[in-house]
Amino acid sequence: MRRYGFLKFVKNYNNNAALVVDDENVEWMIVGKGIGFGKKPGDLVDASKITQKFKSVNNDELDTLEEYDESIINVTSDIVQDAESFLKVKFNDHQYLILADHINFAYVRAQDGIEFTDRAVSWEVKKLFPKEYEASARAIEIIKKDLDVVFPKGELVFLTYHFVNLENEKESLQDTIQVSKMIADIINIIQISYHTTLDDESFNYSRLVSHLRYFLIRKLKSSQVSSEQLDPSLLKLMIAKYPDENNTVQKISTFLRNTKGWALSENDQVYLILHVWRVTHRNN
């Protein structure tokens, strides 16, 4: 872990957040209860009060901290610490500030009695990302305790998207929302094709969701698969062995072509046929 030497104050955002500079003249944004109280430029930092520190790379983004009440910074730090421990993830600078901005906006909406709720979306997100959804429920409880306000249930969905997004730094929040909706649509295609409801607690359901998520992110980013092309005869074998699953994959292919203009490669079709078979024929 890097040693920062001494840290000197450059700018106070509020009592709990400040811009500082280290002994190598590198700027950092630090967060901690009372970290900026009574401080002036050039004062040394009490390192024991620092709970979060981020390298300053976008001053415009960091300057938005001045708009937040210090209680927003406190609750964001509490949520980040809880989520990092619970989900075994790590927030970067941008993700921390995006979460703080969302909590601040949601806090204002809650005070004004404005709620964005979609019960259907909430149900789907809870099934698709159960661990992240649970982390969101924990965050709502932290907000209730720290801010003495009850966030509407609709915020569970938005916070879940933030936590899902932590797994891929290159994925935007908008991409996460779009991918989540597309996964729900694809799962619905499978369920309609088989006249069944998939077991969203099964291992194979989780594997399907993970595969679809990374597959869709790759398509959104127009990136190529790094693995080698499969033997073309393998797709013919899969079609012959799993005709029902292939029919379902072709429906998924039509959906992606009509909505996004995407074509499934032979590799994509092979893997999807296998995942559809697993999720509809195994009970584990």
Side-chain angles (χ1 to χ4, degrees):
M1 184 174 179
R2 183 174 179 227
R3 296 184 178 277
Y4 298 94
F6 63 81
L7 294 174
K8 288 186 177 182
F9 276 84
V10 175
K11 178 180 181 179
N12 295 334
Y13 293 106
N14 53 50
N15 285 340
N16 302 313
L19 183 69
V20 300
V21 63
D22 65 16
D23 53 2
E24 296 180 2
N25 209 35
V26 176
E27 289 186 335
W28 300 82
M29 187 270 280
I30 59 172
V31 173
K33 293 182 179 180
I35 198 73
F37 180 73
K39 294 296 183 181
K40 298 178 181 179
D43 287 349
L44 294 178
V45 175
D46 181 357
S48 66
K49 291 185 177 181
I50 299 175
T51 57
Q52 302 283 336
K53 50 183 176 290
F54 307 107
K55 198 167 187 178
S56 175
V57 294
N58 187 335
N59 287 330
D60 289 338
E61 193 173 54
L62 294 179
D63 285 344
T64 60
L65 287 173
E66 291 181 304
E67 303 172 9
Y68 306 152
D69 185 271
E70 59 189 66
S71 62
I72 298 297
I73 302 300
N74 285 342
V75 74
T76 301
S77 295
D78 289 345
I79 290 172
V80 166
Q81 290 180 21
D82 183 72
E84 287 184 337
S85 174
F86 184 70
L87 296 173
K88 310 302 180 186
V89 295
K90 189 69 178 176
F91 281 71
N92 62 28
D93 306 24
H94 179 71
Q95 290 164 342
Y96 178 93
L97 294 170
I98 287 295
L99 179 62
D101 185 68
H102 176 84
I103 291 172
N104 182 66
F105 186 42
Y107 180 59
V108 173
R109 291 202 308 269
Q111 289 182 313
D112 293 338
I114 301 173
E115 179 178 357
F116 298 149
T117 303
D118 187 332
R119 292 179 182 271
V121 170
S122 179
W123 181 72
E124 291 170 346
V125 169
K126 184 177 181 179
K127 290 198 307 176
L128 294 175
F129 310 110
K131 189 74 172 178
E132 290 81 1
Y133 192 88
E134 185 177 350
S136 298
R138 294 166 64 99
I140 293 293
E141 287 301 312
I142 292 173
I143 290 169
K144 180 180 178 181
K145 177 175 65 72
D146 287 8
L147 300 181
D148 193 27
V149 63
V150 178
F151 273 20
K153 290 185 177 180
E155 288 302 328
L156 279 168
V157 173
F158 295 111
L159 287 172
T160 298
Y161 287 141
H162 278 282
F163 294 143
V164 170
N165 200 46
L166 293 173
E167 297 181 14
N168 191 336
E169 294 182 9
K170 296 181 180 179
E171 184 182 350
S172 70
L173 189 60
Q174 290 74 21
D175 287 344
T176 300
I177 294 172
Q178 182 179 182
V179 165
S180 299
K181 291 179 178 178
M182 292 179 72
I183 291 174
D185 287 336
I186 291 173
I187 287 176
N188 195 41
I189 289 172
I190 297 172
Q191 293 184 142
I192 291 174
S193 295
Y194 283 86
H195 306 286
T196 189
T197 299
L198 299 178
D199 180 5
D200 53 39
E201 295 184 356
S202 71
F203 175 67
N204 284 310
Y205 185 94
S206 297
R207 289 182 66 182
L208 171 65
V209 170
S210 295
H211 175 78
L212 289 174
R213 180 164 181 259
Y214 289 110
F215 160 70
L216 292 171
I217 291 171
R218 173 170 58 83
K219 298 295 284 187
L220 280 173
K221 301 300 183 183
S222 299
S223 59
Q224 299 298 317
V225 183
S226 58
S227 59
E228 297 180 0
Q229 185 68 24
L230 298 174
D231 185 341
S233 64
L234 183 57
L235 177 57
K236 294 181 180 179
L237 176 63
M238 298 297 290
I239 292 173
K241 187 173 183 179
Y242 304 112
D244 292 338
E245 288 73 15
N246 177 61
N247 287 337
T248 300
V249 168
Q250 295 313 309
K251 292 176 184 178
I252 295 172
S253 177
T254 298
F255 163 72
L256 294 174
R257 183 171 59 252
N258 291 342
T259 58
K260 305 297 294 184
W262 294 343
L264 292 180
S265 68
E266 291 187 354
N267 281 22
D268 294 332
Q269 293 178 64
V270 168
Y271 289 122
L272 277 175
I273 287 172
L274 284 172
H275 277 289
V276 170
W277 180 80
R278 287 190 182 114
V279 81
T280 55
H281 288 77
R282 294 186 182 179
N283 296 320
N284 56 346

